[in-house]
């Protein structure tokens, strides 16, 4: 088996370019899996496992074999990809028919046509810990190739995934902030209505609305939207909040 040319290996390792050329974390992870497959010509499947909300998930895959093999390990809460993710150590399976670790999983993998596998840790000991999981149809598929590019890819992916996660978190925070601003605008309108009706201070108007919200067991924002709709005949505008100049 011939190894990938150096120029192709360097291209596959350029995770920052991959990140910049994709529109989402999911697209980046799919490109990452495809890059790993190019670096391991004997493999026919690659899955990227990340821990989300305390549970392992195959967030992306390339080839036909990875997803079902990853999920079989999740089902029994044990297997090479989970061991790599949890320990931060590389886990190699030279031949699933000769493997006695992880209970029934090796026999299942062999029955699915996976005779060898390699799991490389991603972002070990972090909140985005995971593993890059490669599967091959013949035993010893990873014994006669240079694993250095794959190891470098997993190491590069650690930083890129952390960066992508920070970007995704920032987008989510911005969306949450905009939603909060919209709610605040609706609440302010309702406070204005109560001030006009009861000739009271804004503080007193807010207390009136908050008390009504608690008594009716309705969210304050929804109560205010209902009040404005009843008075104006139309619901409050939900247009995008624009920052003041």
């Amino acid at each position: 088996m011939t190894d990938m040319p150096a120029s192709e290996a360097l291209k596959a390792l350029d995770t920052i370019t991959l990140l910049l050329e994709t529109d989402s974390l999911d697209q980046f992870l799919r490109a990452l899996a495809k890059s790993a497959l190019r670096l391991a010509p004997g493999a026919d499947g690659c899955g990227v496992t990340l821990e989300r909300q305390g549970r392992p998930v195959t967030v992306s895959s390339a080839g036909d074999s990875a997803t079902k093999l990853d999920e079989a390990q999740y089902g029994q809460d044990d297997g090479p990809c989970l061991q790599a993710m949890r320990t931060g150590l590389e886990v190699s399976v030279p031949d699933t028919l000769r493997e006695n670790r992880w209970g029934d999983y090796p026999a299942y993998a062999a029955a699915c046509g996976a005779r060898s596998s390699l799991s490389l840790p991603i972002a070990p000991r972090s909140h985005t810990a995971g593993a890059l999981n490669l599967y091959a149809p013949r035993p010893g598929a990873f014994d006669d190739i240079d694993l250095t590019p794959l190891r470098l890819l997993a190491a590069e992916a650690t930083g890129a995934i952390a960066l992508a996660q920070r970007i995704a978190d920032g987008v989510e925070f911005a969306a949450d902030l905009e939603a909060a601003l919209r709610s605040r605008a609706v609440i302010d309108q309702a406070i204005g209505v109560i001030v006009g009706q009861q000739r009271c201070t804004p503080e007193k108007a807010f207390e009136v609305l908050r008390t009504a919200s608690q008594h009716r067991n309705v969210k304050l924002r929804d109560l205010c939207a209902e009040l404005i709709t009843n008075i104006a005949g139309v619901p409050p505008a939900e247009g995008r909040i624009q920052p003041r100049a």
Side-chain angles (χ1 to χ4, degrees):
M1 182 182 300
T2 59
D3 292 341
M4 176 183 290
S7 60
E8 288 295 313
L10 288 174
K11 183 177 180 181
L13 289 171
D14 192 356
T15 55
I16 298 301
T17 297
L18 282 180
L19 183 58
L20 293 175
E21 289 179 348
T22 52
D23 296 328
S24 67
L25 178 59
D26 289 342
Q27 286 186 16
F28 166 73
L29 293 171
R30 192 175 306 115
L32 179 67
K34 291 180 179 178
S35 294
L37 273 185
R38 291 200 300 271
L39 292 169
D44 65 356
C46 177
V48 180
T49 297
L50 289 181
E51 192 169 45
R52 288 186 170 175
Q53 298 179 340
R55 300 179 62 185
V57 178
T58 300
V59 291
S60 192
S61 64
D64 298 327
S65 61
T67 300
K68 62 184 178 182
L69 292 170
D70 285 350
E71 291 180 349
Q73 297 172 67
Y74 308 155
Q76 67 175 34
D77 195 33
D78 200 11
C81 81
L82 296 181
Q83 184 172 319
M85 181 184 74
R86 290 166 177 169
T87 65
L89 301 175
E90 186 177 302
V91 179
S92 175
V93 180
D95 188 348
T96 52
L97 287 180
R98 298 177 180 272
E99 182 59 68
N100 56 19
R101 295 172 288 179
W102 312 301
D104 296 334
Y105 167 73
Y108 172 79
C112 290
R115 290 293 303 275
S116 58
S117 68
L118 179 69
S119 296
L120 303 163
I122 293 175
R125 293 171 292 280
S126 75
H127 73 287
T128 53
L132 189 66
N133 312 305
L134 289 149
Y135 302 97
R138 70 175 183 85
F142 305 99
D143 295 344
D144 53 357
I145 64 171
D146 182 7
L147 296 180
T148 302
L150 281 168
R151 290 166 176 156
L152 289 173
L153 180 65
E156 288 280 329
T158 292
I161 287 174
L163 175 60
Q165 190 63 58
R166 288 183 65 183
I167 292 172
D169 289 345
V171 171
E172 183 177 352
F173 173 78
D176 289 345
L177 178 60
E178 182 170 331
L181 289 172
R182 287 177 177 171
S183 293
R184 183 69 226 185
V186 172
I187 293 169
D188 284 345
Q189 291 177 54
I191 287 174
V193 170
I194 298 298
V195 168
Q197 288 180 340
Q198 300 191 13
R199 307 294 181 183
C200 62
T201 65
E203 291 77 14
K204 177 61 177 176
F206 178 78
E207 184 62 28
V208 168
L209 291 168
R210 188 177 68 84
T211 300
S213 170
Q214 292 174 343
H215 286 169
R216 292 181 55 187
N217 195 27
V218 176
K219 290 182 179 180
L220 180 60
R221 191 262 177 213
D222 294 341
L223 177 74
C224 293
E226 179 184 337
L227 173 63
I228 295 168
T229 301
N230 289 338
I231 292 175
V234 293
E238 290 290 341
R240 184 179 180 85
I241 300 297
Q242 297 292 340
R244 292 182 179 180

